[in-house]
Amino acid sequence: NVIESDLRQCTQAGMNDHLGKPFTWAQLLAKIAPYLPENTSEARGAAPAPDEAPSFDPQAYRQMTDLLGDERAQAWVEKLKEQLDSIVGHGDVAEAKAAQATGDMARRAHALVSQAGSIGFSAVSREAGELEQAWLAKADLKKPLGRLKAACRKALDQLARLPGFSKHDREGVST
């Protein structure tokens, strides 16, 4: 997640590529493959394009659980649930514009980019990044907010299927 003007400045200064966070191991391997010796060519083409990425990557979730352990991963998931609930229950575009004035919407969207992507919810991460960019550009928030809310609802449904996250945990979530 980077501002386009920052990316342009870095490219002009000599940076030869960029991989925005969050990313999967497959995306990282695909990005660095051109710079590796030829015997590592199996990494080429390993990552799907962002628009082709699934909305939830169970492998990323398992990697997070393996890395943090069950208890800490569950806390991470609970934090994500709070963030998703916050976006879904946020209200309409007028309310979002009020949050725009204080920067609250951009902060919440920015937090979701990494939080959701790290756990494997790439669609939420992508749409949160789009909303943040729209906010920074002072553009109309209606479409990116609608897409983010839809991705958040879908993620909440997917969260309900994860071990330790029952339907009871989702009481009061608006859909």
Side-chain angles (χ1 to χ4, degrees):
N1 173 357
V2 67
I3 299 172
E4 285 296 318
S5 61
D6 292 345
L7 189 56
R8 276 193 302 277
Q9 282 182 312
C10 291
T11 302
Q12 290 169 354
M15 180 177 77
N16 58 3
D17 216 333
H18 171 261
L19 179 62
K21 67 176 186 177
F23 53 83
T24 65
W25 286 110
Q27 290 168 322
L28 176 61
L29 288 174
K31 189 60 83 166
I32 65 172
Y35 308 101
L36 297 175
E38 289 304 314
N39 63 354
T40 59
S41 62
E42 67 273 1
R44 296 183 200 276
D51 290 338
E52 298 169 9
S55 62
F56 176 63
D57 179 2
Q59 183 178 1
Y61 175 74
R62 283 190 300 276
Q63 287 173 345
M64 176 64 76
T65 301
D66 290 345
L67 178 67
L68 298 178
D70 289 338
E71 189 175 311
R72 290 182 70 199
Q74 185 64 29
W76 193 273
V77 169
E78 289 299 324
K79 178 66 175 170
L80 175 63
K81 181 201 174 290
E82 290 171 17
Q83 291 173 316
L84 296 172
D85 286 341
S86 170
I87 296 292
V88 169
H90 191 61
D92 60 12
V93 174
E95 192 176 333
K97 284 184 179 182
Q100 181 176 13
T102 64
D104 180 58
M105 179 60 69
R107 279 190 297 277
R108 285 194 279 161
H110 182 80
L112 261 179
V113 171
S114 295
Q115 186 83 18
S118 296
I119 298 175
F121 290 94
S122 56
V124 171
S125 179
R126 182 177 56 250
E127 296 303 340
E130 292 293 323
L131 179 64
E132 181 183 21
Q133 291 301 314
W135 182 86
L136 290 169
K138 298 188 182 343
D140 183 24
L141 299 179
K142 186 175 183 176
K143 287 181 182 178
L145 180 59
R147 288 191 305 267
L148 177 58
K149 282 184 167 195
C152 287
R153 286 185 190 102
K154 187 172 183 177
L156 284 166
D157 287 340
Q158 291 166 322
L159 275 173
R161 292 185 220 119
L162 292 178
F165 195 84
S166 68
K167 291 285 185 186
H168 172 74
D169 296 330
R170 290 196 51 233
E171 284 183 8
V173 175
S174 47
T175 55

PDB file of all heavy atoms in Angstrom, residues 80-106:
ATOM      1  N   LEU A  80      -9.425  -8.393  13.487  1.00  0.00           N
ATOM      2  CA  LEU A  80      -9.945  -8.235  12.131  1.00  0.00           C
ATOM      3  C   LEU A  80     -11.464  -8.179  12.148  1.00  0.00           C
ATOM      4  O   LEU A  80     -12.065  -7.340  11.484  1.00  0.00           O
ATOM      5  CB  LEU A  80      -9.468  -9.363  11.221  1.00  0.00           C
ATOM      6  CG  LEU A  80     -10.067  -9.350   9.804  1.00  0.00           C
ATOM      7  CD1 LEU A  80      -9.656  -8.090   9.047  1.00  0.00           C
ATOM      8  CD2 LEU A  80      -9.658 -10.589   9.041  1.00  0.00           C
ATOM      9  N   LYS A  81     -12.099  -9.054  12.918  1.00  0.00           N
ATOM     10  CA  LYS A  81     -13.560  -9.056  13.006  1.00  0.00           C
ATOM     11  C   LYS A  81     -14.076  -7.692  13.468  1.00  0.00           C
ATOM     12  O   LYS A  81     -15.028  -7.157  12.903  1.00  0.00           O
ATOM     13  CB  LYS A  81     -14.049 -10.139  13.951  1.00  0.00           C
ATOM     14  CG  LYS A  81     -15.573 -10.191  14.044  1.00  0.00           C
ATOM     15  CD  LYS A  81     -16.010 -10.886  15.322  1.00  0.00           C
ATOM     16  CE  LYS A  81     -17.498 -10.839  15.522  1.00  0.00           C
ATOM     17  NZ  LYS A  81     -18.014  -9.502  15.832  1.00  0.00           N
ATOM     18  N   GLU A  82     -13.423  -7.114  14.478  1.00  0.00           N
ATOM     19  CA  GLU A  82     -13.809  -5.787  14.959  1.00  0.00           C
ATOM     20  C   GLU A  82     -13.703  -4.751  13.836  1.00  0.00           C
ATOM     21  O   GLU A  82     -14.575  -3.898  13.676  1.00  0.00           O
ATOM     22  CB  GLU A  82     -12.935  -5.360  16.132  1.00  0.00           C
ATOM     23  CG  GLU A  82     -13.180  -6.133  17.400  1.00  0.00           C
ATOM     24  CD  GLU A  82     -12.136  -5.817  18.472  1.00  0.00           C
ATOM     25  OE1 GLU A  82     -11.425  -4.782  18.350  1.00  0.00           O
ATOM     26  OE2 GLU A  82     -12.039  -6.604  19.425  1.00  0.00           O
ATOM     27  N   GLN A  83     -12.623  -4.825  13.078  1.00  0.00           N
ATOM     28  CA  GLN A  83     -12.433  -3.873  11.981  1.00  0.00           C
ATOM     29  C   GLN A  83     -13.490  -4.068  10.897  1.00  0.00           C
ATOM     30  O   GLN A  83     -14.019  -3.097  10.357  1.00  0.00           O
ATOM     31  CB  GLN A  83     -11.032  -4.016  11.400  1.00  0.00           C
ATOM     32  CG  GLN A  83      -9.949  -3.558  12.344  1.00  0.00           C
ATOM     33  CD  GLN A  83      -8.568  -3.877  11.818  1.00  0.00           C
ATOM     34  OE1 GLN A  83      -8.322  -4.972  11.322  1.00  0.00           O
ATOM     35  NE2 GLN A  83      -7.663  -2.924  11.930  1.00  0.00           N
ATOM     36  N   LEU A  84     -13.779  -5.318  10.560  1.00  0.00           N
ATOM     37  CA  LEU A  84     -14.797  -5.605   9.544  1.00  0.00           C
ATOM     38  C   LEU A  84     -16.163  -5.108  10.007  1.00  0.00           C
ATOM     39  O   LEU A  84     -16.892  -4.478   9.242  1.00  0.00           O
ATOM     40  CB  LEU A  84     -14.853  -7.103   9.250  1.00  0.00           C
ATOM     41  CG  LEU A  84     -13.605  -7.725   8.625  1.00  0.00           C
ATOM     42  CD1 LEU A  84     -13.737  -9.243   8.581  1.00  0.00           C
ATOM     43  CD2 LEU A  84     -13.340  -7.165   7.246  1.00  0.00           C
ATOM     44  N   ASP A  85     -16.509  -5.402  11.266  1.00  0.00           N
ATOM     45  CA  ASP A  85     -17.776  -4.927  11.821  1.00  0.00           C
ATOM     46  C   ASP A  85     -17.869  -3.408  11.759  1.00  0.00           C
ATOM     47  O   ASP A  85     -18.920  -2.844  11.458  1.00  0.00           O
ATOM     48  CB  ASP A  85     -17.940  -5.378  13.276  1.00  0.00           C
ATOM     49  CG  ASP A  85     -18.267  -6.849  13.425  1.00  0.00           C
ATOM     50  OD1 ASP A  85     -18.729  -7.465  12.441  1.00  0.00           O
ATOM     51  OD2 ASP A  85     -18.067  -7.389  14.538  1.00  0.00           O
ATOM     52  N   SER A  86     -16.750  -2.752  12.039  1.00  0.00           N
ATOM     53  CA  SER A  86     -16.707  -1.296  12.029  1.00  0.00           C
ATOM     54  C   SER A  86     -17.013  -0.741  10.647  1.00  0.00           C
ATOM     55  O   SER A  86     -17.749   0.236  10.504  1.00  0.00           O
ATOM     56  CB  SER A  86     -15.324  -0.833  12.491  1.00  0.00           C
ATOM     57  OG  SER A  86     -15.160   0.542  12.290  1.00  0.00           O
ATOM     58  N   ILE A  87     -16.464  -1.359   9.622  1.00  0.00           N
ATOM     59  CA  ILE A  87     -16.702  -0.904   8.247  1.00  0.00           C
ATOM     60  C   ILE A  87     -18.130  -1.228   7.823  1.00  0.00           C
ATOM     61  O   ILE A  87     -18.846  -0.376   7.293  1.00  0.00           O
ATOM     62  CB  ILE A  87     -15.694  -1.527   7.259  1.00  0.00           C
ATOM     63  CG1 ILE A  87     -14.269  -1.067   7.575  1.00  0.00           C
ATOM     64  CG2 ILE A  87     -16.069  -1.225   5.812  1.00  0.00           C
ATOM     65  CD1 ILE A  87     -13.984   0.397   7.326  1.00  0.00           C
ATOM     66  N   VAL A  88     -18.573  -2.462   8.064  1.00  0.00           N
ATOM     67  CA  VAL A  88     -19.917  -2.874   7.646  1.00  0.00           C
ATOM     68  C   VAL A  88     -20.980  -2.038   8.343  1.00  0.00           C
ATOM     69  O   VAL A  88     -21.960  -1.626   7.736  1.00  0.00           O
ATOM     70  CB  VAL A  88     -20.144  -4.382   7.915  1.00  0.00           C
ATOM     71  CG1 VAL A  88     -21.597  -4.762   7.738  1.00  0.00           C
ATOM     72  CG2 VAL A  88     -19.272  -5.210   6.985  1.00  0.00           C
ATOM     73  N   GLY A  89     -20.780  -1.734   9.618  1.00  0.00           N
ATOM     74  CA  GLY A  89     -21.765  -0.969  10.368  1.00  0.00           C
ATOM     75  C   GLY A  89     -21.577   0.523  10.285  1.00  0.00           C
ATOM     76  O   GLY A  89     -22.196   1.279  11.020  1.00  0.00           O
ATOM     77  N   HIS A  90     -20.732   0.970   9.371  1.00  0.00           N
ATOM     78  CA  HIS A  90     -20.368   2.389   9.323  1.00  0.00           C
ATOM     79  C   HIS A  90     -21.479   3.303   8.844  1.00  0.00           C
ATOM     80  O   HIS A  90     -21.473   4.475   9.141  1.00  0.00           O
ATOM     81  CB  HIS A  90     -19.124   2.592   8.458  1.00  0.00           C
ATOM     82  CG  HIS A  90     -18.561   3.963   8.573  1.00  0.00           C
ATOM     83  ND1 HIS A  90     -18.108   4.476   9.765  1.00  0.00           N
ATOM     84  CD2 HIS A  90     -18.415   4.943   7.671  1.00  0.00           C
ATOM     85  CE1 HIS A  90     -17.690   5.716   9.576  1.00  0.00           C
ATOM     86  NE2 HIS A  90     -17.862   6.015   8.312  1.00  0.00           N
ATOM     87  N   GLY A  91     -22.405   2.787   8.113  1.00  0.00           N
ATOM     88  CA  GLY A  91     -23.476   3.663   7.634  1.00  0.00           C
ATOM     89  C   GLY A  91     -23.306   4.017   6.174  1.00  0.00           C
ATOM     90  O   GLY A  91     -22.715   3.278   5.408  1.00  0.00           O
ATOM     91  N   ASP A  92     -23.806   5.166   5.819  1.00  0.00           N
ATOM     92  CA  ASP A  92     -23.837   5.552   4.415  1.00  0.00           C
ATOM     93  C   ASP A  92     -22.649   6.431   4.042  1.00  0.00           C
ATOM     94  O   ASP A  92     -21.769   6.706   4.841  1.00  0.00           O
ATOM     95  CB  ASP A  92     -25.153   6.261   4.099  1.00  0.00           C
ATOM     96  CG  ASP A  92     -25.345   7.531   4.927  1.00  0.00           C
ATOM     97  OD1 ASP A  92     -24.376   7.992   5.575  1.00  0.00           O
ATOM     98  OD2 ASP A  92     -26.458   8.064   4.921  1.00  0.00           O
ATOM     99  N   VAL A  93     -22.662   6.875   2.802  1.00  0.00           N
ATOM    100  CA  VAL A  93     -21.565   7.686   2.282  1.00  0.00           C
ATOM    101  C   VAL A  93     -21.483   9.030   3.008  1.00  0.00           C
ATOM    102  O   VAL A  93     -20.381   9.525   3.270  1.00  0.00           O
ATOM    103  CB  VAL A  93     -21.717   7.892   0.756  1.00  0.00           C
ATOM    104  CG1 VAL A  93     -20.680   8.854   0.227  1.00  0.00           C
ATOM    105  CG2 VAL A  93     -21.610   6.553   0.051  1.00  0.00           C
ATOM    106  N   ALA A  94     -22.627   9.607   3.412  1.00  0.00           N
ATOM    107  CA  ALA A  94     -22.599  10.879   4.139  1.00  0.00           C
ATOM    108  C   ALA A  94     -21.828  10.718   5.448  1.00  0.00           C
ATOM    109  O   ALA A  94     -21.005  11.566   5.812  1.00  0.00           O
ATOM    110  CB  ALA A  94     -24.021  11.367   4.418  1.00  0.00           C
ATOM    111  N   GLU A  95     -22.068   9.608   6.133  1.00  0.00           N
ATOM    112  CA  GLU A  95     -21.332   9.329   7.363  1.00  0.00           C
ATOM    113  C   GLU A  95     -19.853   9.098   7.056  1.00  0.00           C
ATOM    114  O   GLU A  95     -18.980   9.540   7.799  1.00  0.00           O
ATOM    115  CB  GLU A  95     -21.937   8.103   8.048  1.00  0.00           C
ATOM    116  CG  GLU A  95     -21.441   7.885   9.450  1.00  0.00           C
ATOM    117  CD  GLU A  95     -22.130   6.714  10.126  1.00  0.00           C
ATOM    118  OE1 GLU A  95     -23.278   6.388   9.770  1.00  0.00           O
ATOM    119  OE2 GLU A  95     -21.488   6.115  11.001  1.00  0.00           O
ATOM    120  N   ALA A  96     -19.583   8.434   5.944  1.00  0.00           N
ATOM    121  CA  ALA A  96     -18.195   8.197   5.543  1.00  0.00           C
ATOM    122  C   ALA A  96     -17.497   9.519   5.223  1.00  0.00           C
ATOM    123  O   ALA A  96     -16.322   9.695   5.545  1.00  0.00           O
ATOM    124  CB  ALA A  96     -18.142   7.269   4.335  1.00  0.00           C
ATOM    125  N   LYS A  97     -18.216  10.449   4.605  1.00  0.00           N
ATOM    126  CA  LYS A  97     -17.613  11.745   4.288  1.00  0.00           C
ATOM    127  C   LYS A  97     -17.310  12.522   5.559  1.00  0.00           C
ATOM    128  O   LYS A  97     -16.322  13.245   5.627  1.00  0.00           O
ATOM    129  CB  LYS A  97     -18.519  12.544   3.351  1.00  0.00           C
ATOM    130  CG  LYS A  97     -18.460  12.021   1.931  1.00  0.00           C
ATOM    131  CD  LYS A  97     -19.269  12.864   0.982  1.00  0.00           C
ATOM    132  CE  LYS A  97     -19.157  12.304  -0.422  1.00  0.00           C
ATOM    133  NZ  LYS A  97     -19.879  13.081  -1.394  1.00  0.00           N
ATOM    134  N   ALA A  98     -18.176  12.375   6.574  1.00  0.00           N
ATOM    135  CA  ALA A  98     -17.894  13.018   7.853  1.00  0.00           C
ATOM    136  C   ALA A  98     -16.616  12.436   8.455  1.00  0.00           C
ATOM    137  O   ALA A  98     -15.779  13.158   8.994  1.00  0.00           O
ATOM    138  CB  ALA A  98     -19.068  12.842   8.809  1.00  0.00           C
ATOM    139  N   ALA A  99     -16.458  11.114   8.341  1.00  0.00           N
ATOM    140  CA  ALA A  99     -15.240  10.462   8.822  1.00  0.00           C
ATOM    141  C   ALA A  99     -14.040  10.878   7.976  1.00  0.00           C
ATOM    142  O   ALA A  99     -12.912  10.910   8.459  1.00  0.00           O
ATOM    143  CB  ALA A  99     -15.407   8.951   8.799  1.00  0.00           C
ATOM    144  N   GLN A 100     -14.303  11.224   6.716  1.00  0.00           N
ATOM    145  CA  GLN A 100     -13.238  11.652   5.816  1.00  0.00           C
ATOM    146  C   GLN A 100     -12.585  12.927   6.337  1.00  0.00           C
ATOM    147  O   GLN A 100     -11.375  13.081   6.268  1.00  0.00           O
ATOM    148  CB  GLN A 100     -13.796  11.881   4.416  1.00  0.00           C
ATOM    149  CG  GLN A 100     -12.764  12.307   3.403  1.00  0.00           C
ATOM    150  CD  GLN A 100     -13.349  12.427   2.009  1.00  0.00           C
ATOM    151  OE1 GLN A 100     -14.559  12.425   1.829  1.00  0.00           O
ATOM    152  NE2 GLN A 100     -12.487  12.539   1.024  1.00  0.00           N
ATOM    153  N   ALA A 101     -13.392  13.828   6.875  1.00  0.00           N
ATOM    154  CA  ALA A 101     -12.866  15.099   7.352  1.00  0.00           C
ATOM    155  C   ALA A 101     -11.858  14.900   8.482  1.00  0.00           C
ATOM    156  O   ALA A 101     -10.880  15.639   8.587  1.00  0.00           O
ATOM    157  CB  ALA A 101     -14.007  15.999   7.811  1.00  0.00           C
ATOM    158  N   THR A 102     -12.057  13.896   9.303  1.00  0.00           N
ATOM    159  CA  THR A 102     -11.152  13.650  10.429  1.00  0.00           C
ATOM    160  C   THR A 102     -10.046  12.671  10.073  1.00  0.00           C
ATOM    161  O   THR A 102      -9.122  12.480  10.850  1.00  0.00           O
ATOM    162  CB  THR A 102     -11.925  13.083  11.628  1.00  0.00           C
ATOM    163  OG1 THR A 102     -12.462  11.800  11.271  1.00  0.00           O
ATOM    164  CG2 THR A 102     -13.038  14.016  12.060  1.00  0.00           C
ATOM    165  N   GLY A 103     -10.151  12.004   8.938  1.00  0.00           N
ATOM    166  CA  GLY A 103      -9.169  11.002   8.551  1.00  0.00           C
ATOM    167  C   GLY A 103      -9.460   9.634   9.132  1.00  0.00           C
ATOM    168  O   GLY A 103      -8.708   8.686   8.922  1.00  0.00           O
ATOM    169  N   ASP A 104     -10.571   9.497   9.864  1.00  0.00           N
ATOM    170  CA  ASP A 104     -10.918   8.234  10.506  1.00  0.00           C
ATOM    171  C   ASP A 104     -11.105   7.115   9.482  1.00  0.00           C
ATOM    172  O   ASP A 104     -10.609   6.002   9.681  1.00  0.00           O
ATOM    173  CB  ASP A 104     -12.198   8.408  11.341  1.00  0.00           C
ATOM    174  CG  ASP A 104     -12.601   7.127  12.034  1.00  0.00           C
ATOM    175  OD1 ASP A 104     -11.778   6.596  12.813  1.00  0.00           O
ATOM    176  OD2 ASP A 104     -13.727   6.652  11.789  1.00  0.00           O
ATOM    177  N   MET A 105     -11.796   7.384   8.395  1.00  0.00           N
ATOM    178  CA  MET A 105     -12.046   6.360   7.386  1.00  0.00           C
ATOM    179  C   MET A 105     -10.737   5.882   6.769  1.00  0.00           C
ATOM    180  O   MET A 105     -10.518   4.687   6.591  1.00  0.00           O
ATOM    181  CB  MET A 105     -12.986   6.897   6.302  1.00  0.00           C
ATOM    182  CG  MET A 105     -13.271   5.890   5.202  1.00  0.00           C
ATOM    183  SD  MET A 105     -14.057   4.367   5.753  1.00  0.00           S
ATOM    184  CE  MET A 105     -15.659   4.969   6.201  1.00  0.00           C
ATOM    185  N   ALA A 106      -9.841   6.795   6.475  1.00  0.00           N
ATOM    186  CA  ALA A 106      -8.550   6.415   5.879  1.00  0.00           C
ATOM    187  C   ALA A 106      -7.731   5.582   6.854  1.00  0.00           C
ATOM    188  O   ALA A 106      -7.087   4.610   6.454  1.00  0.00           O
ATOM    189  CB  ALA A 106      -7.766   7.656   5.460  1.00  0.00           C
TER     190      ALA A 106
END
